[in-house]
Amino acid sequence: MNKDNTTNGKFQISKYSNIIFIIIAFSILAIFYFIPTPDGLTHNGKVMIGILLMAAVLWILEPIPLAVTGLLIMIIQPIMHVIPPNEVFSSFGSQAIFFLVGAFIIAGAIEKHGLHRRIALRFLSHFEKTPRIFTFGIMCSCAFLSFAMPAHGVAALFLPIVVSILISMKITPRQSNFGKVSMLCVAYGCSIGSIGTLIGGARNPLTIGLLSDLSSPVNVTFFDWMIYSMPVVFISLPIVWIILQLSFPIEINNITEAKKEIKNQVIKAGKMKKNETIVLTVLLITILLWILFSSHPYFGLAVIAIIGSILLFITKTINWNDVEKRVPWGIILLYGGAITLGIGIQKTGAGTWIVNALFSTVGINPIIVVLVIIILTVLLTNIMSNIGAVAILLPIGIAVSTEIPGISPLLSAMIIALSAGFAFMLVIATPGNAITYSSGYFSTKDLFKAGSIANIACIIVIFIVAIVYWKGYLHM
Amino acid sequence: MLKIKKGPMFKKILVPISSEYYSKEVLEKTAFLAEKFNSKIDLIYIIEEKVLNQTDKLSNGYRTSEEIAETKKAIIREQKNTADNIVFEDANYYFKNRNISFEEKIFEGEFSSVVKKETNRKDYNLILMGFEKECFLNYRLFDELDIPIWIQSKSDGKSILSICSNLAPNQKVPEVSIKLSKLLGWELIMLYVVDVEDSVQVDKNGKRSDKKPERDLLFNGNKFVNDMQNKGIKVKLVKGSLEKNTLKAAEEINPNLIIVGREQKKKGVLGLPFKHLKRKLAEKCKYSLLFVN
């Protein structure tokens, strides 16, 4: 391996191009600092747009880690005198941050004791009737588990399970449509499941965090989120599965070997251990508390997440070593940068200015605006980290709601947050795609073929849900 | 120098299979050639480091280093299982049943680096592999090795299309083509392309001349055609782009194999080939190719 070359995030880039990308990012910021301020925009607003574009370049090209870009966004605002340091860093006090920390600790305990594997096998064993139903089972199991833990972890869990089943069935990599569909069901099941609850992807807490920090705060509870997102999940899952079946018609009829392999794996896992039972109980209690008591005037999301984590420590099912090993602190820093970016864009009036500039050409028909936001988010999430896509688009989306009648901040935020989950087309779009691609069972061409059709279908699903259910029925 | 001068052809064949791309046709063709030439086979399965690194880098930030390492281990473990239970079992089916001697190994690393290391370790007469455009297979292999490289596709014809031109030394291609055609019993069709877009003449040592007038290039082409005809080989002389004419002839003839030599194309910035004919052929051509350097 040539050490000078790294497949860094979205593109394979050398260390020299990394330096060039950093220079480009800072040059954009410098240009925005020095150019004359356009009408209707303040100097600080102009600099914030520069910071937004700089962040976009760094998040797309990834010359530095995503989390470091998050830190850079935080420090650059006080350096440029746009937002004072105390205001920037106070964003870190958001309860969504502590919700994330708690949720990661709970997910860490699930992974440590292999509870996720047991749940996955139990779930899969209910779908052993035909190869087609089995692939649907894979998709549903991935989606279901992504409701309770981060989607990337679920993809990593399912990779060895599904590959060992495919090997036991003597399914040849690349040549079998059953192999392709099974692996793509893992990738897409995780992506679709990740939008279902606040735990599936860090972009979900980021969205509610930004909404709660608005001048007129919008509070979304755990249960509210599920009410908004679940129709999208349950409509998208079968549609995407059908698209996979049509794109790669399954060539086998017999599932006997898969049954045997799952049975073997269940036997190998043995009886449920005490620690697994404790973690499962804590998880169920936490979810129940999130559903029933995360709204005002009760405890809020973060308090419940931390209660769940502390219960795990008290029951000794997790220790601090595990937390150090299993909590991705980088996401927390990325979140910090993203939320300060959102607040800065909003406070300086940059968001409003961008929206006016953008929609003066396409008009202000709310239905067209909704469609444009969905398409833009899906395109962006396919070429950059989905939390980065949300961080860039959310402040603009919220500004849309202040400028365009008929679109509320909640509506535009939900549209962006959910659309950002549909990173189906490229290996580089999300870690889940890359993890499943490494199995060798599908090609990048297969992913693009099925992913582009699935993306179009999901754009239509979100659009219909947004107009009919969120706007029409829930009056969002 | 090329290692197919005397004695039986393809005595030792290296069959590298990337974890990114596996095709049974490669094993099938290897078995066919090994039977014909009584070859020994080294089958290596390469777990692509680039794919592992890509997964690591994409997960960076989202997952902890501990989790990323666990996933990497799981991927490697499953890749080894795939090699043992699918690829090597297929190899058993194709080779053992025909009493073909073969060895199998698993490597982790970058495809062309592993292949090059193996060719440095042992003397091979042929590398036989599959190819897919989107894979990360490194094209350096095509240029840097002096061992013939056979890229197997799903072609099913019964002829060889042999390509000579003003851009190649035209030493090895006729020799290998004639030998293979006789041994395999496949019809040989030879094409000499006068590439007017790159009007130089490459000498026997692979050195490009200065630009030459078209009539000189045609004269050399006709001389080659006559030489071959004296040996009883029919050669068709055409004028135009080497790449386009090769693809056009392939479409017309539907050959089982296209044999291409050491074309010396114009160099671009930083000495990189201006046009990479071999890469383009591998990407565009649906027929099997044999690159004879």
Side-chain angles (χ1 to χ4, degrees), chain A residues 100 105 122 142 165 200 215 220 259 320 379 405 407 416 446:
Chain A
L100 264 179
I105 292 174
R122 177 64 64 89
C142 290
I165 291 170
S215 45
V220 179
K259 270 186 203 172
W320 195 250
L379 289 177
I407 295 182
I416 291 166
D446 297 329

Side-chain angles (χ1 to χ4, degrees), chain A residues 1-3 6-10 12 62 65-66 104 108 111 152-153 156 159-161 163-164 166-167 170-175 323-331 334 385-388 427-431 434-435 437-446, chain B residues 18-26 45 47-68 70-87 89-90 109-110 113 132-136 140 154:
Chain A
M1 172 73 190
N2 182 353
K3 295 287 176 197
T6 55
T7 37
N8 194 349
K10 307 298 174 185
Q12 183 167 349
E62 289 184 39
L66 296 170
F104 281 132
E111 281 181 29
H152 321 307
L159 174 89
I161 293 177
V163 171
S164 62
L166 294 176
I167 289 173
K170 302 284 174 213
I171 299 293
T172 310
R174 292 290 177 103
Q175 291 179 4
V323 173
E324 282 177 347
K325 280 181 197 166
R326 294 184 185 275
V327 174
W329 298 105
I331 284 273
L334 173 59
S385 83
N386 42 41
I387 192 168
V427 173
I428 54 163
T430 167
I435 289 167
Y437 175 74
S438 69
S439 70
Y441 273 91
F442 62 87
S443 68
T444 51
K445 213 165 151 184
D446 297 329
Chain B
S18 158
S19 61
E20 263 199 296
Y21 179 70
Y22 169 58
S23 122
K24 280 184 185 175
E25 282 85 23
V26 171
Y45 184 84
I47 300 173
E48 286 281 3
E49 205 171 55
K50 283 185 180 176
V51 178
L52 296 174
N53 289 345
Q54 177 177 256
T55 311
D56 284 3
K57 292 283 175 187
L58 281 172
S59 303
N60 209 357
Y62 288 101
R63 310 185 67 224
T64 65
S65 47
E66 191 87 9
E67 290 170 331
I68 292 170
E70 277 174 14
T71 304
K72 190 173 182 172
K73 259 190 206 166
I75 293 170
I76 292 170
R77 191 182 60 234
E78 294 311 327
Q79 286 293 356
K80 285 181 176 168
N81 285 338
T82 305
D84 284 333
N85 295 292
I86 307 269
V87 181
E89 276 211 5
D90 284 348
E110 194 267 322
S113 304
E132 201 175 48
K133 193 172 153 186
E134 324 102 77
C135 292
F136 292 132
R140 279 185 296 135
K154 285 178 184 166

Side-chain angles (χ1 to χ4, degrees), chain B residues 30-159:
Chain B
T30 309
F32 169 78
L33 292 176
E35 255 190 335
K36 290 271 179 195
F37 301 115
N38 197 22
S39 322
K40 282 188 174 174
I41 295 160
D42 279 353
L43 176 64
I44 58 171
Y45 184 84
I46 302 162
I47 300 173
E48 286 281 3
E49 205 171 55
K50 283 185 180 176
V51 178
L52 296 174
N53 289 345
Q54 177 177 256
T55 311
D56 284 3
K57 292 283 175 187
L58 281 172
S59 303
N60 209 357
Y62 288 101
R63 310 185 67 224
T64 65
S65 47
E66 191 87 9
E67 290 170 331
I68 292 170
E70 277 174 14
T71 304
K72 190 173 182 172
K73 259 190 206 166
I75 293 170
I76 292 170
R77 191 182 60 234
E78 294 311 327
Q79 286 293 356
K80 285 181 176 168
N81 285 338
T82 305
D84 284 333
N85 295 292
I86 307 269
V87 181
F88 295 160
E89 276 211 5
D90 284 348
N92 270 328
Y93 169 79
Y94 284 111
F95 303 152
K96 269 201 177 159
N97 287 348
R98 302 182 201 191
N99 288 326
I100 298 165
S101 107
F102 77 102
E103 274 179 35
E104 56 202 22
K105 270 184 199 166
I106 300 175
F107 290 93
E108 269 172 55
E110 194 267 322
F111 187 84
S112 48
S113 304
V114 173
V115 172
K116 271 179 18 197
K117 229 182 222 173
E118 280 304 284
T119 55
N120 287 337
R121 219 169 52 81
K122 278 186 188 175
D123 271 341
Y124 290 101
N125 311 100
L126 180 71
I127 296 171
L128 204 155
M129 60 191 233
F131 181 84
E132 201 175 48
K133 193 172 153 186
E134 324 102 77
C135 292
F136 292 132
L137 298 187
N138 198 320
Y139 304 116
R140 279 185 296 135
L141 258 190
F142 297 162
D143 286 326
E144 292 179 7
L145 292 177
D146 60 1
I147 302 163
I149 301 174
W150 186 308
I151 311 278
Q152 181 60 31
S153 297
K154 285 178 184 166
S155 45
D156 56 354
K158 280 271 178 238
S159 57

Side-chain angles (χ1 to χ4, degrees), chain A residues 135-146:
Chain A
T135 55
F136 189 60
I138 293 174
M139 204 164 185
C140 291
S141 312
C142 290
F144 177 76
L145 261 173
S146 299

Side-chain angles (χ1 to χ4, degrees), chain A residues 282-314:
Chain A
V282 171
L283 173 70
L284 292 175
I285 291 171
T286 312
I287 291 176
L288 206 67
L289 289 174
W290 270 330
I291 292 172
L292 298 175
F293 298 107
S294 64
S295 60
H296 186 73
Y298 298 109
F299 318 124
L301 285 164
V303 172
I304 296 167
I306 302 295
I307 289 174
S309 315
I310 291 173
L311 279 176
L312 292 170
F313 279 101
I314 291 171

